[in-house]
Amino acid sequence: PDTAIYHNRAIWPFVSAYSLRAARAVGHAPRIAHEIRSLMRGAALAGSNMENFELTTQAVHVEDGALSGPVVNSPRQLWSVAGYLDMVIGGVFGVQDDGRIEPKLPAELVPMLFGDRQSISLQLPERRVTLRRPRKLSGDLLVAGKQHTDGAGTVIDLVATRSTGATLAHDAASF
């Protein structure tokens, strides 16, 4: 409690990326959404992929007397850049390390990620992945339905399903 912001009272984007991978592994839509938003918000607010952020504001520095911090912080931090890229490639588009495409997108993120478009695409060096949203969002998690690959392009029709019943803890100490 009497420690300046760095390891305590901080968000580390590379850890958020691992949490996103874990949430995707169990299909937990609320945690997937939380980690995607956290990674996107942090980079957007700072204008860079910072080493860490203050926990409650996601600011790059908070004045709090002797507890001010984060006490060390770096822009364009390589592990934070890697975590952000993993969020986009694996977390949003579902591209797996072995090449399979298994998107697991929370339905609540559709307005933010798709806007008014029916599809979003990711162009990788030797592959293009396109996700098409369903007409109706009848579940809380969008997963791969029909897939069609033509050359280097893969189009996936997302289908809505229900995620696992685990819940986020809301009883942690507040700061």
Side-chain angles (χ1 to χ4, degrees):
D2 293 331
T3 303
I5 302 163
Y6 185 60
H7 289 110
N8 297 307
R9 203 171 119 192
I11 297 172
W12 291 73
F14 85 95
V15 176
S16 297
Y18 281 118
S19 180
L20 173 57
R21 280 184 169 233
R24 284 180 39 77
V26 298
H28 188 243
R31 175 55 75 176
I32 295 168
H34 174 83
E35 299 303 350
I36 289 174
R37 277 196 184 101
S38 176
L39 286 159
M40 292 178 78
R41 183 183 318 107
L45 290 173
S48 185
N49 294 101
M50 302 300 291
E51 179 178 3
N52 53 39
F53 301 98
E54 192 275 334
L55 179 65
T56 60
T57 64
Q58 215 161 359
V60 297
H61 188 82
V62 170
E63 284 300 322
D64 192 13
L67 304 180
S68 297
V71 294
V72 176
N73 210 347
S74 304
R76 300 175 304 282
Q77 181 61 252
L78 188 55
W79 60 61
S80 296
V81 172
Y84 193 91
L85 289 172
D86 190 62
M87 178 268 296
V88 173
I89 296 168
V92 172
F93 285 89
V95 178
Q96 303 300 295
D97 295 336
D98 63 5
R100 288 175 296 121
I101 304 172
E102 297 181 346
K104 292 181 182 177
L105 280 179
E108 68 184 89
L109 296 183
V110 166
M112 178 179 72
L113 297 173
F114 286 80
D116 60 0
R117 297 176 309 277
Q118 294 304 306
S119 65
I120 56 175
S121 295
L122 172 67
Q123 182 64 56
L124 296 169
E126 297 180 14
R127 167 181 221 182
R128 181 178 180 88
V129 177
T130 300
L131 303 178
R132 292 195 296 208
R133 64 184 279 180
R135 293 181 197 270
K136 184 177 180 184
L137 301 176
S138 58
D140 65 341
L141 188 65
L142 304 180
V143 298
K146 187 178 85 174
Q147 292 192 25
H148 174 72
T149 300
D150 185 13
T154 301
V155 177
I156 295 132
D157 291 325
L158 298 172
V159 295
T161 187
R162 288 269 166 221
S163 68
T164 61
T167 59
L168 290 175
H170 295 286
D171 59 352
S174 58
F175 295 92

